[in-house]
């Protein structure tokens, strides 16, 4: 083998090694987060959110009016998996431009608070008795369960510039355990009635949400189609008005979207690394629906 070919093979080997190292580091970080999250759950520590995640979630609002944008944190996974102690946390927000963001009506981009826990009488039976005002003794003596109840904090941020902006929200539980949730909010300013209906896809790791937005003041007939070999729409959570199928799976829906509103549809991927983006969906407006 001549010298030039050796150099090429050495270079390719270095590139491959770098890719392996980078991917290995990324996987190690993911595995570390997952392991820590599993440990926290084993301790009864639940610090969750619909809009934020341990792997950053993306939220799109194409009808942003420049006002408050809300996000949430909660202390539960289900009715029976609820944190039985207070959680102290810190919130920070940053933007992708020179705009300033502020948390919960303050003049600061940071905010500290406590997600408080409380207990109440839970009626797990079907006898129809209202138990919410029962104390622990009365609750348990009547065969009901006195346990921690679900708690949610609905927070918000504002931005001092009403142009398009991406805001990153980071919420970190500081005690008694540490856990960080992150979300990016892509805000598109609604500038008038001449914009057409548009769509955005949010990747939530285990599912996708398709958000269809109508920034005009009048309703519109919309047709959305996709490759049903890659995406299956959740028929349980989506109220489908009209649809078409391919190979037994829904691949097209039609619906009416009111003016100045958004509609969200939940989808599940059929495999890994499908590369689902906005272009995975075709959106058309039509007359006569």
């Amino acid at each position: 083998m001549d010298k030039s070919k050796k150099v090429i093979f050495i270079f390719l080997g270095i590139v491959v090694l770098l890719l392996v190292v980078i991917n290995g580091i990324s996987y190690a970080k993911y595995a570390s987060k997952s392991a820590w999250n599993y440990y926290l759950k084993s301790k009864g520590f639940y610090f969750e959110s619909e809009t934020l995640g341990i792997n950053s979630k993306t939220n799109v609002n194409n009808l942003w009016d420049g006002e408050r944008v809300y996000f949430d944190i909660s202390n539960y996974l289900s009715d029976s998996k609820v944190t039985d102690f207070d959680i102290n946390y810190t919130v920070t927000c940053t933007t992708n431009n020179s705009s300033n963001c502020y948390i919960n009506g303050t003049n600061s981009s940071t905010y500290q608070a406590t997600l408080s826990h409380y207990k109440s009488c839970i009626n797990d039976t079907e006898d129809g008795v209202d138990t919410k005002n029962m104390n622990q003794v009365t609750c348990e003596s009547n065969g009901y369960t006195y346990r921690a109840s679900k708690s949610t904090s609905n927070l918000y941020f504002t931005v001092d510039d009403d142009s398009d902006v991406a805001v990153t929200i980071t919420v970190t539980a500081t005690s008694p355990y540490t856990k960080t949730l992150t979300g990016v909010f892509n805000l598109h300013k609604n500038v008038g009635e001449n914009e057409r209906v548009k769509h955005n896809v949010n990747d939530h790791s285990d599912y996708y949400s398709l958000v269809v937005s109508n920034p005009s003041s009048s309703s519109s007939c919309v047709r959305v189609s996709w490759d049903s070999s890659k995406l299956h729409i959740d028929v349980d959570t989506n109220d489908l008005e009209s649809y078409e199928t391919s190979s037994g799976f829904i691949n097209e829906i039609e619906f009416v979207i009111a003016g100045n509103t958004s509609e969200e549809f939940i989808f599940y991927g059929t495999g890994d690394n499908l590369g689902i983006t906005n272009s995975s969906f075709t959106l058309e407006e039509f007359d006569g629906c």
Side-chain angles (χ1 to χ4, degrees):
M1 182 182 296
D2 60 40
K3 186 175 181 180
S4 61
K5 289 184 177 179
K6 286 183 178 179
V7 171
I8 293 173
F9 277 111
I10 292 173
F11 174 76
L12 290 176
I14 293 173
V15 171
V16 170
L17 180 61
L18 287 174
L19 290 174
V20 170
V21 170
I22 292 171
N23 289 332
I25 292 173
S26 299
Y27 178 77
K29 289 181 178 179
Y30 173 80
S32 176
K33 286 182 180 179
S34 299
W36 179 245
N37 201 37
Y38 179 82
Y39 171 78
L40 294 178
K41 291 177 181 178
S42 73
K43 296 298 182 180
F45 181 81
Y46 306 106
F47 193 63
E48 310 297 328
S49 174
E50 291 292 328
T51 48
L52 316 172
I54 57 172
N55 298 305
S56 184
K57 290 186 178 181
T58 300
N59 306 272
V60 177
N61 184 351
N62 286 319
L63 301 176
W64 184 48
D65 57 4
E67 298 299 320
R68 299 176 178 180
V69 178
Y70 287 87
F71 58 98
D72 68 286
I73 54 171
S74 59
N75 70 341
Y76 64 89
L77 276 180
S78 64
D79 289 341
S80 60
K81 295 182 178 181
V82 184
T83 298
D84 195 14
F85 42 81
D86 291 350
I87 302 173
N88 297 318
Y89 64 90
T90 299
V91 184
T92 61
C93 69
T94 58
T95 68
N96 66 335
N97 55 28
S98 59
S99 303
N100 296 307
C101 57
Y102 309 104
I103 304 295
N104 266 36
T106 68
N107 60 354
S108 175
S109 60
T110 62
Y111 180 80
Q112 294 182 335
T114 299
L115 183 59
S116 300
H117 84 288
Y118 65 96
K119 292 185 176 181
S120 62
C121 186
I122 307 299
N123 187 350
D124 291 323
T125 72
E126 298 180 357
D127 62 9
V129 175
D130 183 359
T131 62
K132 63 183 179 182
N133 293 321
M134 289 185 181
N135 59 37
Q136 184 172 358
V137 174
T138 304
C139 176
E140 294 177 343
S141 64
N142 282 277
Y144 305 118
T145 305
Y146 198 76
R147 66 168 183 251
S149 294
K150 297 187 292 187
S151 180
T152 299
S153 288
N154 290 306
L155 309 165
Y156 68 88
F157 66 85
T158 55
V159 183
D160 63 4
D161 185 354
D162 61 359
S163 59
D164 289 5
V165 62
V167 178
T168 300
I169 295 292
T170 303
V171 182
T172 301
T174 55
S175 69
Y177 300 98
T178 300
K179 180 178 179 179
T180 299
L181 303 173
T182 307
V184 176
F185 294 78
N186 293 323
L187 307 177
H188 175 65
K189 188 68 171 66
N190 181 13
V191 297
E193 298 181 359
N194 294 325
E195 296 188 61
R196 301 177 64 84
V197 175
K198 58 187 63 178
H199 69 287
N200 281 95
V201 175
N202 299 319
D203 186 348
H204 298 285
S205 298
D206 53 348
Y207 69 94
Y208 301 93
S209 61
L210 171 70
V211 180
V212 180
S213 305
N214 182 7
S216 73
S217 60
S218 58
S219 61
S220 179
C221 305
V222 176
R223 179 184 298 112
V224 179
S225 58
W226 61 91
D227 184 350
S228 60
S229 68
K230 293 183 178 181
L231 288 164
H232 292 170
I233 191 169
D234 188 341
V235 296
D236 294 325
T237 60
N238 300 309
D239 184 15
L240 305 180
E241 300 175 13
S242 176
Y243 59 87
E244 298 290 336
T245 62
S246 174
S247 300
F249 294 102
I250 298 174
N251 68 335
E252 180 182 294
I253 56 175
E254 294 181 355
F255 57 96
V256 179
I257 183 170
N260 296 311
T261 62
S262 294
E263 298 282 349
E264 183 180 45
F265 301 91
I266 303 302
F267 288 83
Y268 295 99
T270 59
D272 297 327
N273 302 317
L274 295 172
I276 302 302
T277 63
N278 287 355
S279 61
S280 301
F281 295 87
T282 300
L283 185 147
E284 303 171 87
E285 294 181 70
F286 64 95
D287 297 322
C289 57

